[in-house]
Amino acid sequence: MFKQILLISLTSSLFFLNYEVANSQIFPNFSESNLRISQKISTKKQQLIDRYLELIGGEKTFQEVIRAMLSQMEQQFDSILTSELVANQQLSPEQRQQITNKFNQEITSIVQKSNRMFLERISYQQIVEEVYYPIYDKYFTEEDLQALIEFYQTPTGRKTIELMPQLFQESMQRTAQVLNPKIQGIMQEIIAEELQRIN
């Protein structure tokens, strides 16, 4: 029973994680065409983009986004398990607790390993060259980038940078409050259907 729940939960949650990742463009579909685009950008403009990213904490923010996504995935696993166990009347309280403990151990291990491997294997510089250079080149001129750099060196700009992690965290939490019930409902339907099929 535990293995079935774990397998279905992992599969379902990874589907939603992959959907979010694909849409957020954090992990783009790296291609030679993206690389060719970044090579066409002038050295001066690349330096301006680098400076801008440095000011807004580009690499640190990137790593925080990865960690936040993995943390959100872990919370979704826990929520799915709790809902599924409550709905399953065949299990005794002792069995539910045993499954919960085992599940939490497995998920914690998986998420920690995922976190470590993501940060080890995903090159921030590759993201800069294949994502940020083309995007910032597309939407900002050198003058725009210089103005942004000047802004982020002002007291208001520095305050904005300092508050970015808090703004991101709170927006993630509030978004989760709005979307999680809908996502859980969909996932519970999928899990119930799969459990019926397996049994």
Side-chain angles (χ1 to χ4, degrees), residues 105-156:
Q105 287 173 6
E106 295 288 338
I107 292 305
T108 299
S109 173
I110 289 168
V111 171
Q112 286 175 351
K113 185 175 181 180
S114 299
N115 197 335
R116 188 181 69 252
M117 290 175 72
F118 270 120
L119 295 176
E120 285 173 358
R121 295 186 184 183
I122 295 171
S123 162
Y124 172 70
Q125 189 56 40
Q126 187 178 17
I127 299 294
V128 169
E129 290 174 5
E130 299 191 22
V131 179
Y132 294 140
Y133 283 167
I135 288 174
Y136 282 94
D137 180 54
K138 179 179 179 181
Y139 292 106
F140 295 102
T141 64
E142 289 182 7
E143 291 75 19
D144 294 332
L145 289 165
Q146 188 60 53
L148 284 168
I149 290 167
E150 289 170 8
F151 167 71
Y152 282 116
Q153 290 174 324
T154 66
T156 304

Side-chain angles (χ1 to χ4, degrees), residues 86-101:
V86 168
N88 193 325
Q89 301 298 321
Q90 299 173 352
L91 297 173
S92 68
E94 293 79 15
Q95 288 173 317
R96 288 178 187 168
Q97 189 59 52
Q98 186 179 9
I99 291 172
T100 299
N101 292 343

Side-chain angles (χ1 to χ4, degrees), residues 10 40 46 71 90 105 118 124 144 153 162 178 188:
L10 279 171
K40 293 177 184 175
Q46 287 184 15
S71 174
Q90 299 173 352
Q105 287 173 6
F118 270 120
Y124 172 70
D144 294 332
Q153 290 174 324
E162 287 170 11
V178 173
Q188 284 169 355

Side-chain angles (χ1 to χ4, degrees), residues 164-190:
M164 272 184 184
Q166 185 178 338
L167 292 169
F168 176 76
Q169 184 179 10
E170 286 189 24
S171 63
M172 285 278 288
Q173 288 171 347
R174 294 194 181 201
T175 301
Q177 288 171 0
V178 173
L179 294 183
N180 274 354
K182 298 177 192 285
I183 292 171
Q184 287 174 18
I186 292 168
M187 293 171 112
Q188 284 169 355
E189 284 182 33
I190 293 170

